[in-house]
Amino acid sequence: MTKTKKAVFRWVSREVFVADIAPTPKNYKIRNDLGMERLRASLQSFGMAGTMVCNWAGKYGNTRKLVLIDGNSRREEAIAKGEKKVWVSLPHGGALTPAQFKEMSAMFDYAKAGDVDIESINSDLGKTKDFYDKYKMQVPIGHLDKMGKNAPKPEKGLQYPGGKAAEEQQISDTRMVQLFFDSKQEEQFRKLEEKLRKKYKTQNTTDTVFRAVKEAAK
């Protein structure tokens, strides 16, 4: 029988000023607009549940007191909403070393013990069109009949698989385009994006970037 090693660190929760938290110097998570929209929907419904995960930063030359291990997107949302304080988890009794910090920030999200059970979510929660709209999910064809009057308005003239005469929802043709930045480029990009969002009166990164590219190509 393999023995489990005792955890090196204990973690404590504290409420801290958002201004004292620096973003992860190198964020290994590749973000996308769809994920951000789902995060915003969750935050709007349930608030900032749980904690961001941080390391003590002062001894490594950072001008702020803390540096994020996990929670960069939630930090940005907190800043956007003008929140002054948030709850974070911190290592008790001392900071992670630079090597430990790098490993944990890279592997924290990856080292999960399972994946989201989409089928069960559809079965237990997917009762209305509003739910799928809220989390930007595609309605499974098999759920349309179960949703009854709450189902999305379908396109006419289509059929379900198997030849059953019916109307089927229009299938989304969304494609994801990824951008890769280092930490300095990402910070600059977000500042420019915020200016362009105000200029174009857009609501998300996709619309903002698309509008800017169209304008630049003229």
Side-chain angles (χ1 to χ4, degrees):
M1 181 176 173
T2 304
K3 292 184 177 180
T4 303
K5 279 189 175 182
K6 185 178 179 181
V8 178
F9 289 93
R10 288 177 50 234
W11 296 80
V12 294
S13 295
R14 291 189 181 181
E15 191 176 26
V16 303
F17 286 102
V18 177
D20 286 338
I21 305 173
T24 307
K26 183 176 182 180
N27 190 358
Y28 291 89
K29 181 184 290 182
I30 301 172
R31 296 191 304 182
N32 60 71
D33 289 336
L34 183 57
M36 284 300 299
E37 290 296 323
R38 288 171 177 165
L39 173 62
R40 291 186 183 115
S42 177
L43 293 176
Q44 185 176 359
S45 294
F46 308 110
M48 195 75 72
T51 63
M52 302 177 196
V53 183
C54 294
N55 192 29
W56 299 103
K59 63 182 293 185
Y60 300 117
N62 196 296
T63 56
R64 305 190 192 186
K65 296 179 181 179
L66 309 172
V67 61
L68 274 172
I69 295 172
D70 181 73
N72 288 276
S73 297
R74 287 189 289 167
R75 170 184 170 273
E76 290 179 10
E77 289 299 305
I79 292 173
K81 292 181 179 179
E83 296 183 17
K84 301 300 182 183
K85 288 186 174 183
V86 292
W87 283 90
V88 301
S89 292
L90 290 162
H92 177 67
L96 276 67
T97 66
Q100 290 169 330
F101 172 83
K102 184 176 182 180
E103 179 180 343
M104 187 172 180
S105 63
M107 303 307 295
F108 187 80
D109 280 319
Y110 187 69
K112 300 294 186 184
D115 296 316
V116 176
D117 186 348
I118 295 297
E119 289 188 9
S120 291
I121 289 175
N122 289 334
S123 176
D124 295 342
L125 300 174
K127 309 298 184 184
T128 67
K129 176 181 179 295
D130 288 343
F131 172 81
Y132 289 97
D133 286 345
K134 177 179 179 180
Y135 289 105
K136 304 299 184 290
M137 297 168 65
Q138 183 173 314
V139 183
I141 292 174
H143 279 238
L144 294 178
D145 288 339
K146 298 177 183 178
M147 292 167 68
K149 65 179 182 180
N150 294 316
K153 187 176 180 181
E155 242 188 341
K156 294 183 178 180
L158 300 179
Q159 293 185 334
Y160 285 114
K164 179 184 176 182
E167 296 176 335
E168 182 181 349
Q169 70 173 132
Q170 185 176 9
I171 298 175
S172 173
D173 191 33
T174 302
R175 298 290 185 270
M176 182 173 70
V177 177
Q178 295 179 339
L179 301 174
F180 297 90
F181 300 119
D182 60 30
S183 56
K184 290 183 179 179
Q185 290 173 328
E186 181 188 11
E187 185 174 356
Q188 184 179 16
F189 173 80
R190 293 301 175 188
K191 289 179 180 179
L192 293 172
E193 178 199 359
E194 186 63 28
K195 290 182 180 180
L196 290 173
R197 186 178 293 192
K198 291 178 181 178
K199 176 182 177 181
Y200 297 138
K201 295 181 173 57
T202 49
Q203 301 298 316
N204 55 63
T205 303
T206 298
D207 291 342
T208 305
V209 172
F210 190 72
R211 178 74 178 274
V213 171
K214 285 180 66 176
E215 291 291 328
K218 288 181 178 179

